[in-house]
């Protein structure tokens, strides 16, 4: 066996090893977490970074977390001096975070004989409440100070000991401190799993070898991306899409992008000039979100086996005007940027790429995580509760395949909360849960259907929505029709009902039913060409 083949085998083993570590971190986090949002829905992500804070491995977790986590690690290292036994914590969107419920922990990994970290392990999880005006911390706020507690990069643990002052400060500013403390402990455990497993690799192969393999893995990722970009046509491919509104006014919000492809150099430049300015409502995206969406879309061009590392973005430049909707600045509210704007940035990027490679790009998926947050007092347990969940919709049809119905797509990749777990943990009764038949767009290949879900409240509660795609359909491609828009109603025991705006917070009574219909995916191709009973 020649040296090149041996090196390729070593690299493949290393790639699988670090990926399995990130996966094991996620498994540890899921199994030890307290909240259903993390334990059942898997709203978390874990990753590993080299000494230069470049991501070298990601778990198969949430794209919206993973593409932006490197910025959190960079912020923690820039702000703090991290020593052995330390763990940094942060959630500030303007200091490496994304939105306040996503709390990130960063653990430096020291190898014996080294004076600075050789690697970093990071775990991010969405906490069902971090304070603020609205139970669940995902409401229609107007500035970030209303959205919850902001945590800049600080030491949660120092020299192996808990920083009790920091922990107390966090727990005194949330509605469900016991649940938060349990989930934070799970994140600490996940980071320590990453530390232990990486040290096992160092003991097996040596630090010098792991550094060499890390550099080669990054370079390999870059080569794969450049090779893929070299296959695309040269030119500038532009697209735009509109979000319904910010929840404060009815004005649509424009997201515009121009993707410039340079196949000669295997490079691309992404420019969001022309996008609307940041808005008064809580759906602005910070730069980390926009970068993460770009990472995800271009990663999708590669095969499943391609390593998801920082090397993928070495040949891709991302430009987003400061103060725009896709690069908001203080004190803009950003709770929905992570969940709503991120999905729509993906939509517009795919729409642009469809002009360059129409045979590869699917129609728009449902385009809204249809965020539902409910909080109040659980009379069964005589304790406060906060529930948060994103709701699946229809996947866009693909060239050659129908879209999948009732699935989490693109930037989420989470699960639903099982009905049994939901009713056990919260004062709810699920009245119905199924596919929204016919909501997928028609075409040669049909978009997936959205969902219909009805939740009855067994106690009075505050109900908060952050939804989109209630005015503008998920688009079809190549002649396919758009998917159906979403709808939410609040139905009362007396038979009356009211249609709720996509971004609102209301006080609901015991016996009220939240009726949600999520958007379908767009269709692909001319419906006249659709195969029926074996004939066109």
């Amino acid at each position: 066996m020649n040296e090149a083949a041996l090196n390729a085998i070593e690299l493949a083993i290393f790639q699988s090893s670090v990926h399995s570590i990130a996966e094991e971190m996620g498994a540890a986090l899921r199994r030890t977490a307290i909240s259903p949002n993390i334990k059942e829905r898997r709203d978390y992500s874990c990753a590993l970074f080299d000494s230069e804070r470049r991501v070298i491995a990601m778990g198969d977790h949430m794209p919206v977390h993973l593409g932006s986590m490197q910025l959190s690690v960079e912020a923690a290292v820039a702000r703090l001096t991290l020593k052995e036994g330390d763990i940094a914590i942060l959630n500030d969107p303007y200091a490496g975070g994304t939105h306040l419920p996503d709390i990130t922990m960063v653990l430096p990994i020291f190898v014996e004989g080294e004076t600075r970290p050789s690697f970093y392990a990071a775990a991010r999880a969405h906490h069902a409440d971090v304070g603020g005006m609205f139970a669940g911390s995902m409401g229609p706020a107007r500035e970030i100070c209303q959205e919850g507690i902001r945590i800049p990069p600080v030491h949660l643990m120092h020299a192996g000991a808990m920083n009790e002052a920091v922990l107390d400060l966090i727990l005194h500013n949330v509605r469900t401190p016991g649940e938060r403390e349990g989930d934070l402990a799970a994140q600490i455990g996940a980071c320590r799993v990453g530390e232990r497993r990486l040290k096992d690799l160092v003991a097996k192969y040596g630090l010098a070898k792991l550094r060499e393999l890390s550099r080669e893995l990054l370079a390999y990722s870059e080569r794969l991306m450049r090779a893929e970009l070299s296959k695309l046509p040269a030119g500038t491919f532009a697209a735009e899409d509109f979000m319904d509104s910010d929840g404060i006014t009815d004005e649509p919000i424009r997201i515009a992008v121009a993707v410039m492809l340079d196949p000669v150099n295997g490079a691309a430049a992404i420019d969001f000039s022309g996008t609307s300015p940041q808005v008064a409502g809580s759906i602005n995206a910070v730069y980390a979100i926009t970068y993460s969406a770009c990472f995800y879309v271009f990663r999708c061009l590669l095969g499943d086996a391609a390593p998801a590392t920082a090397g993928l973005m070495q040949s891709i430049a991302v430009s987003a005007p400061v103060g725009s909707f896709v690069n908001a600045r203080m004190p803009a509210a950003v709770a929905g940027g992570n969940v709503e704007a991120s999905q729509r940035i993906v939509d517009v990027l795919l729409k642009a790429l469809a002009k360059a490679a129409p045979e590869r790009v699917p129609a728009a998926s449902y385009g809204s995580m249809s965020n539902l947050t409910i909080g109040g007092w659980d009379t069964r347990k005589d304790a406060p509760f906060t529930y948060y969940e994103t709701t699946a919709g229809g996947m866009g049809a693909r060239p050659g395949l129908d879209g999948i119905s009732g699935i989490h797509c693109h930037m989420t990749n989470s699960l639903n909360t099982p009905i049994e777990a939901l009713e056990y943990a919260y004062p709810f009764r699920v009245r119905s849960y199924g596919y929204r038949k016919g909501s997928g767009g028609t075409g040669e290949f049909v978009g997936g259907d959205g969902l219909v879900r009805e939740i009855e409240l067994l106690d009075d509660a505050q109900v908060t929505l952050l939804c989109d795609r209630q005015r503008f359909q998920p688009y079809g491609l190549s002649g396919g029709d758009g998917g159906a828009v979403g709808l939410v109603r609040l139905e009362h025991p007396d038979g009356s009902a009211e249609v709720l705006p996509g971004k609102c917070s209301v006080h609901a009574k015991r016996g009220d039913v939240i009726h949600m219909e999520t958007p379908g995916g767009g269709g692909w191709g001319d419906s006249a060409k659709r195969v029926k009973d074996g004939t066109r």
Side-chain angles (χ1 to χ4, degrees), residues 465-487:
L465 298 174
L466 275 180
C467 306
D468 210 77
R469 286 293 194 201
Q470 295 188 349
R471 292 172 65 184
F472 300 104
Q473 290 177 288
Y475 59 78
L477 285 177
S478 299
D481 293 329
V485 297
L487 170 74

Side-chain angles (χ1 to χ4, degrees), residues 128-129 131-141 147 175 282 335-336 369-376 385-391 428 455 457 461-467 470 488 490 500-508 514 516:
D129 185 85
M133 291 177 64
F134 303 97
S137 315
M138 289 290 292
E147 295 188 307
R175 293 173 175 83
S282 62
M369 294 193 198
S370 299
N371 304 267
L372 174 62
T373 311
I374 307 173
F385 75 91
T386 54
Y387 155 79
Y388 168 74
E389 185 162 2
T390 60
T391 313
F428 304 155
I455 297 177
L457 302 178
Q462 183 181 35
V463 176
T464 303
L465 298 174
L466 275 180
C467 306
Q470 295 188 349
V488 182
L490 185 64
L500 296 178
K503 301 162 187 72
C504 69
S505 187
V506 299
H507 290 280
I514 303 156
M516 176 179 284

Side-chain angles (χ1 to χ4, degrees), residues 178-491:
E179 187 177 87
R180 299 287 66 74
E181 186 172 15
D183 288 346
L184 290 172
Q187 285 181 258
I188 292 172
C191 288
R192 285 178 169 159
V193 167
E195 177 187 36
R196 186 165 62 251
R197 295 295 183 236
L198 261 175
K199 286 186 173 182
D200 289 345
L201 282 185
V202 171
K204 185 174 183 178
Y205 296 106
L207 180 58
K209 187 64 175 180
L210 290 192
R211 284 175 171 165
E212 176 189 342
L213 289 168
S214 296
R215 289 192 295 269
E216 178 54 30
L217 190 62
L218 292 164
Y220 175 55
S221 297
E222 181 180 351
R223 291 195 300 272
L224 287 176
M225 181 58 75
R226 287 189 184 276
E228 194 64 35
L229 293 175
S230 70
K231 301 174 187 176
L232 297 176
T236 298
F237 303 91
E240 66 177 13
D241 201 356
F242 292 86
M243 296 195 68
D244 296 343
S245 74
D246 68 347
I248 306 299
T249 74
D250 291 330
E251 287 296 314
I253 303 161
R254 181 178 189 243
I255 303 175
V257 72
V259 179
M260 290 147 278
L261 299 177
D262 176 8
V264 173
N265 295 301
I270 304 167
D271 185 2
F272 288 92
S273 295
T275 297
S276 294
Q278 64 188 58
V279 295
S282 62
I283 58 171
N284 297 285
V286 294
Y287 180 79
I289 294 298
T290 301
Y291 182 89
S292 187
C294 295
F295 186 109
Y296 164 76
V297 167
F298 278 79
R299 168 64 184 85
C300 288
L301 294 175
L302 304 177
D304 291 346
T309 77
L312 296 180
M313 295 297 284
Q314 284 298 107
S315 59
I316 300 171
V318 180
S319 174
V322 176
S324 70
F325 179 70
V326 294
N327 189 4
R329 56 189 171 187
M330 276 283 292
V334 297
N338 194 61
V339 287
E340 295 303 291
S342 68
Q343 292 285 68
R344 304 304 294 284
I345 294 169
V346 167
D347 283 350
V348 75
L349 284 166
L350 289 174
K351 196 174 186 181
L353 285 176
K355 297 179 179 180
E359 74 287 352
R360 298 184 62 183
V361 178
S365 293
Y366 56 97
S368 170
M369 294 193 198
S370 299
N371 304 267
L372 174 62
T373 311
I374 307 173
W377 191 266
D378 187 342
T379 55
R380 304 173 307 167
K381 302 175 181 178
D382 196 28
F385 75 91
T386 54
Y387 155 79
Y388 168 74
E389 185 162 2
T390 60
T391 313
M395 175 191 284
R398 298 150 286 174
L401 287 171
D402 291 343
I404 301 172
S405 297
I407 189 170
H408 289 273
C409 299
H410 296 322
M411 298 299 278
T412 164
N413 196 37
S414 57
L415 303 178
N416 69 314
T417 304
I419 291 173
E420 297 84 356
L422 189 69
E423 294 182 339
Y424 176 79
Y426 303 107
F428 304 155
R429 180 180 294 119
V430 178
R431 296 272 295 272
S432 67
Y433 195 14
Y435 293 129
R436 185 187 178 193
K437 297 295 186 181
S439 56
T442 59
E444 182 179 2
F445 302 100
V446 177
D449 288 331
L451 294 175
V452 178
R453 194 179 200 189
E454 292 184 323
I455 297 177
E456 180 184 353
L457 302 178
L458 303 183
D459 280 311
D460 294 355
Q462 183 181 35
V463 176
T464 303
L465 298 174
L466 275 180
C467 306
D468 210 77
R469 286 293 194 201
Q470 295 188 349
R471 292 172 65 184
F472 300 104
Q473 290 177 288
Y475 59 78
L477 285 177
S478 299
D481 293 329
V485 297
L487 170 74
V488 182
R489 287 197 307 266
L490 185 64
E491 300 174 345

Side-chain angles (χ1 to χ4, degrees), residues 25-55:
M25 290 171 64
L29 175 50
R30 178 178 74 252
R31 291 169 180 167
T32 55
I34 301 298
S35 68
N37 188 54
I38 299 173
K39 193 177 213 51
E40 302 287 354
R41 292 192 59 248
R42 306 188 184 188
D43 197 344
Y44 61 80
S45 297
C46 299
L48 299 172
F49 303 80
D50 69 3
S51 60
E52 302 303 316
R53 285 85 64 195
R54 298 172 298 190
V55 63

